[in-house]
Amino acid sequence: MDTHYSTSHDLLHDECHVPLSYSPLPDLPDPSGPPAKGRHRPLKVSAVTLASVVFLLSLVALVIHQSPQTPVNVDNGGPSMETEGRGVAQGVSEKSFRGFSGRRLSFNWTSSMYAWQRTAFHFQPEKNWMNDPNGPLFHMGWYHLFYQYNPDSAVWGNITWGHAVSRDMIHWLYLPLAMVPDQWFDVNGVWTGSATILPSGEIIMLYTGDTVDDVQVQNLAYPANPSDPLLLDWTKYENNPVMVPPTGIASDKFRDPTTMWDGPDGDWRVAIGSLLNTTGIVLVYQTTNFTDYELLDGILHGVPGTNMWECVDFYPVSLDGEYGLDTSDFGANIKHVLKASMDDNRHDYYALGTYDPVNNTWTPDNPELDVGIGLRLDYGKYYASKTYYDPVKKRRILYGWVTEGDLEFDDLKKGWASLQGMPRNILHDNKTGTHLLQWPIEEVESLRTNSTEFEDVLLEPGSVVPLEIGSASRLDIVAEFEVDNETLETVLAVEADAIYNCSTSAGAAGRATLGPFGILVLADDELSELTPIYFYIAKGTDGSCKTFFCSDLSRSSFAESDVDQSIYGSTVPVLEDENLTMRVLSWMVDHSIVESYSQGGRTCITSRVYPTEAIDGATRLFLFNNATSVNVTATIKVWEMSSADIRPYPLDQL
């Protein structure tokens, strides 16, 4: 089998009986063209050029929008639908793709289509709903991941903490629920939180609870048995909450504590996201004993007009090294990253800046690239991310919630919703000085099996090249594109492009002199369904040259009425001392998720894709160049990927 899951059930008629790490209170409910031919290693493949006849194929595949299959009226038979969406009334961000839509128009999905969407090597629970990653840490040989989880259904609600462990962050073992909403201070949800490991090895977990009165408060929990490598049992502090909304802060605008850090005065600090009028802000509290917290004067930072900040992250990065830093590190050659998840648009923004612990302020290096108005961690479906320091390999690891792009009805039918993105290693981009570099952790390479290489494949204007690799549902792809230098210089000398934007463009079908060009993933032989990931080079009216990196979902699925068909992307910096002709990308294709990394991870895009034809053995991979005037040469290496081993921990063997 090429997936790691059990058969999904219709959760409208099925209950999930997940074991608890402790008993809930008794008075509360119990929560339960001619192809480019590749050769497998160690042989490599010579360049294959296409005849101009392929231009016709390009026009058919990329310019003409295919007619979708006609959706059918389906009686969802589901619960009563609300128009405002899920989570908003409870004081958190929207938790469904198109709101809690009550319409009854739906594509006629089959069980095999639903089954194919389940990933093979991305972490997700056996079934039901998952959202934010919580409290990642390393303890006694195990990497721990906690996560927002609904044990009862594939939609948001009844939020508990799921729990899993891994030796390598690739192969995971499910554990019993860590914490459930069973106290007055979290009865409406055990929401997002973070772990802090003290120098003594003691583990402190702070999390947001939604009280019986719908007030967001911060609570303390700690392992009942710190010597247990699996951390199966957790104790909630008897005098919770340890922090409540301060004067002037709304009761539903105070959430998601960060990992704590040790200040220069010896006091520990923690940051919490909040809102003042329309200004998203970060509050900082300090403590000496982890049970009593004092709000520091002022705010760490705020940006007017960005509205509520949630899932704040705050950590140092080194300017002169290749390693990550502990959250408490402070000193020369260090910048601090401030990241916040925007409640309004569900995007994660970050900026680099200088932290002043004495005055409790953080100042961005570039105000034009401030949090909420500048750079994003990911330009696709990636939210509520959280980092932690891995002491084993001295690196900072990033997790992110990868949301769905389909309807809730479809999630209920398939029995699950949401993924965690592949863990990413985070470093400062020493070349730009403004960006982070994000790259999948090296352990993912252990899943690589057969590889095929294609060298110097010529992509003439308007060409599409099929790559002979067999089924393409699970791949790791590294590609390099070289633009014809003479044509590039000629065009940039005379031609200015209109202002380009991935999201408002015509996508891969919009032809111009220097783009788009890239790859087509999750496509079928006839190119009736395809997902282009591509570059587009443009010269602005100010004479500057910009390179755009985009993911086009507009022709990814015949199920147009049910799924996201947006075009995602942004610019990716190419510096003067870098070779403009080189484009280095890495893609990870795992059934319904495609993670794309450009220029070493300066710009990243995560896409959710739901094809109806390009599934199972019908999934194909292509190179394409839909530019009008430039030749592009591509060198690409493709690995097939095996499944990760993700299953319940054999607790009966303890």
Side-chain angles (χ1 to χ4, degrees):
M1 295 179 65
D2 63 358
T3 51
H4 57 253
Y5 66 100
S6 302
T7 303
S8 297
H9 301 287
D10 182 349
L11 282 235
L12 296 175
H13 306 94
D14 185 35
E15 295 182 356
C16 176
H17 298 286
V18 181
L20 302 179
S21 59
Y22 60 91
S23 299
L25 294 179
D27 59 339
L28 292 173
D30 188 335
S32 343
K37 298 179 181 291
R39 294 179 183 269
H40 297 295
R41 296 179 67 184
L43 299 178
K44 294 187 177 181
V45 179
S46 300
V48 178
T49 60
L50 279 185
S52 60
V53 68
V54 183
F55 177 67
L56 178 60
L57 175 60
S58 168
L59 291 180
V60 173
L62 296 176
V63 179
I64 300 176
H65 189 95
Q66 291 81 17
S67 299
Q69 291 184 8
T70 302
V72 296
N73 285 312
V74 177
D75 183 4
N76 293 0
S80 174
M81 303 291 186
E82 302 170 8
T83 58
E84 68 177 353
R86 291 192 185 271
V88 178
Q90 290 77 18
V92 293
S93 61
E94 173 62 61
K95 302 301 181 187
S96 54
F97 169 50
R98 293 182 179 172
F100 200 6
S101 173
R103 63 186 179 82
R104 289 294 187 264
L105 186 66
S106 178
F107 185 84
N108 190 21
W109 295 96
T110 66
S111 58
S112 62
M113 294 175 189
Y114 284 140
W116 179 88
Q117 294 173 15
R118 182 84 182 189
T119 62
F121 53 87
H122 283 75
F123 177 80
Q124 57 189 126
E126 289 183 280
K127 57 182 178 179
N128 296 335
W129 168 272
M130 173 179 66
N131 53 291
D132 308 3
N134 293 156
L137 60 90
F138 181 82
H139 177 68
M140 298 181 68
W142 291 99
Y143 292 100
H144 290 254
L145 175 64
F146 305 87
Y147 50 92
Q148 300 281 277
Y149 181 62
N150 182 355
D152 297 330
S153 181
V155 296
W156 184 87
N158 186 32
I159 294 301
T160 70
W161 271 31
H163 187 192
V165 292
S166 173
R167 296 291 191 185
D168 57 7
M169 291 181 280
I170 301 297
H171 306 284
W172 291 92
L173 296 168
Y174 303 121
L175 291 175
L177 300 178
M179 291 190 286
V180 301
D182 61 358
Q183 304 292 329
W184 73 266
F185 49 76
D186 62 12
V187 70
N188 283 316
V190 181
W191 289 353
T192 291
S194 301
T196 301
I197 301 180
L198 305 182
S200 63
E202 183 181 0
I203 298 172
I204 300 294
M205 194 75 77
L206 290 175
Y207 71 93
T208 297
D210 191 20
T211 73
V212 67
D213 296 317
D214 291 321
V215 177
Q216 294 172 9
V217 298
Q218 313 314 316
N219 300 314
L220 169 65
Y222 46 88
N225 179 11
S227 63
D228 175 15
L230 298 180
L231 299 176
L232 290 174
D233 300 305
W234 288 82
T235 299
K236 297 176 182 179
Y237 178 52
E238 62 182 358
N239 291 324
N240 276 331
V242 294
M243 288 170 274
V244 299
T247 301
I249 297 298
S251 61
D252 62 347
K253 307 297 181 187
F254 181 68
R255 57 183 178 267
D256 309 334
T258 65
T259 295
M260 290 186 282
W261 66 95
D262 190 5
D265 56 2
D267 290 351
W268 286 80
R269 292 165 168 79
V270 59
I272 297 171
S274 190
L275 176 70
L276 277 177
N277 297 319
T278 61
T279 299
I281 64 171
V282 178
L283 302 172
V284 176
Y285 286 75
Q286 67 180 10
T287 183
T288 57
N289 58 11
F290 306 104
T291 57
D292 300 295
Y293 291 80
E294 176 189 1
L295 176 64
L296 296 182
D297 292 337
I299 60 173
L300 181 70
H301 192 59
V303 179
T306 56
N307 291 313
M308 177 65 192
W309 287 8
E310 59 180 0
C311 299
V312 169
D313 206 357
F314 188 62
Y315 55 90
V317 289
S318 172
L319 302 185
D320 57 5
E322 296 182 358
Y323 296 98
L325 299 177
D326 181 83
T327 308
S328 295
D329 285 345
F330 181 81
N333 295 317
I334 287 177
K335 289 288 185 181
H336 273 75
V337 176
L338 179 59
K339 167 259 161 182
S341 300
M342 300 295 112
D343 182 51
D344 278 2
N345 61 25
R346 289 189 292 173
H347 297 317
D348 279 14
Y349 287 83
Y350 76 92
L352 293 162
T354 301
Y355 173 47
D356 179 353
V358 175
N359 294 307
N360 183 40
T361 59
W362 174 90
T363 304
D365 290 344
N366 183 352
E368 294 183 358
L369 296 178
D370 208 342
V371 180
I373 61 174
L375 301 174
R376 285 166 50 183
L377 282 175
D378 192 293
Y379 289 87
K381 288 195 164 295
Y382 195 86
Y383 192 65
S385 61
K386 184 175 295 295
T387 66
Y388 77 105
Y389 178 66
D390 173 16
V392 179
K393 294 190 175 182
K394 301 184 186 307
R395 56 188 175 175
R396 182 155 291 273
I397 302 297
L398 172 72
Y399 286 99
W401 169 35
V402 178
T403 60
E404 294 293 331
D406 61 358
L407 298 177
E408 282 192 343
F409 167 65
D410 297 320
D411 298 337
L412 287 166
K413 294 297 286 186
K414 67 188 180 187
W416 58 272
S418 303
L419 317 166
Q420 293 296 325
M422 189 56 59
R424 301 175 183 178
N425 188 30
I426 298 293
L427 290 172
H428 177 260
D429 183 356
N430 293 332
K431 290 185 177 181
T432 65
T434 57
H435 285 63
L436 294 174
L437 297 177
Q438 307 172 59
W439 204 252
I441 58 173
E442 61 185 1
E443 287 86 344
V444 73
E445 297 177 8
S446 66
L447 298 176
R448 290 172 171 175
T449 57
N450 299 326
S451 68
T452 309
E453 299 179 56
F454 305 86
E455 289 189 337
D456 300 324
V457 180
L458 178 63
L459 303 174
E460 296 177 338
S463 62
V464 177
V465 180
L467 300 178
E468 282 196 344
I469 61 168
S471 179
S473 291
R474 292 177 304 171
L475 302 174
D476 191 2
I477 307 166
V478 177
E480 189 175 281
F481 294 92
E482 181 176 350
V483 178
D484 178 66
N485 219 16
E486 182 177 349
T487 303
L488 179 65
E489 293 175 357
T490 300
V491 171
L492 293 180
V494 298
E495 182 173 318
D497 218 345
I499 297 175
Y500 188 81
N501 182 293
C502 293
S503 299
T504 59
S505 71
R511 307 189 70 196
T513 305
L514 299 176
F517 57 87
I519 65 171
L520 305 177
V521 300
L522 298 177
D524 60 359
D525 283 320
E526 292 75 27
L527 296 176
S528 61
E529 291 181 327
L530 51 91
T531 299
I533 315 292
Y534 62 89
F535 287 114
Y536 183 102
I537 302 174
K539 179 183 178 182
T541 54
D542 62 354
S544 64
C545 179
K546 292 185 177 180
T547 302
F548 292 82
F549 182 53
C550 314
S551 175
D552 181 1
L553 307 185
S554 62
R555 287 170 297 281
S556 63
S557 175
F558 280 133
E560 291 183 336
S561 63
D562 282 24
V563 303
D564 182 18
Q565 296 201 315
S566 303
I567 302 171
Y568 295 109
S570 184
T571 56
V572 56
V574 180
L575 305 184
E576 291 182 2
D577 62 344
E578 294 179 332
N579 190 346
L580 182 63
T581 64
M582 303 300 293
R583 300 290 182 265
V584 180
L585 288 81
S586 178
W587 295 275
M588 298 185 66
V589 180
D590 185 7
H591 293 260
S592 62
I593 180 174
V594 180
E595 295 189 59
S596 306
Y597 307 83
S598 176
Q599 291 299 105
R602 282 182 189 149
T603 299
C604 306
I605 309 172
T606 298
S607 303
R608 297 302 307 278
V609 185
Y610 306 89
T612 62
E613 299 290 337
I615 63 175
D616 299 320
T619 308
R620 299 288 181 262
L621 178 68
F622 298 82
L623 292 166
F624 82 96
N625 176 16
N626 209 30
T628 60
S629 304
V630 66
N631 289 332
V632 177
T633 302
T635 296
I636 183 169
K637 188 169 184 178
V638 183
W639 289 267
E640 298 175 31
M641 298 289 280
S642 60
S643 297
D645 183 12
I646 304 179
R647 55 186 170 82
Y649 191 98
L651 295 173
D652 57 346
Q653 298 179 18
L654 290 179

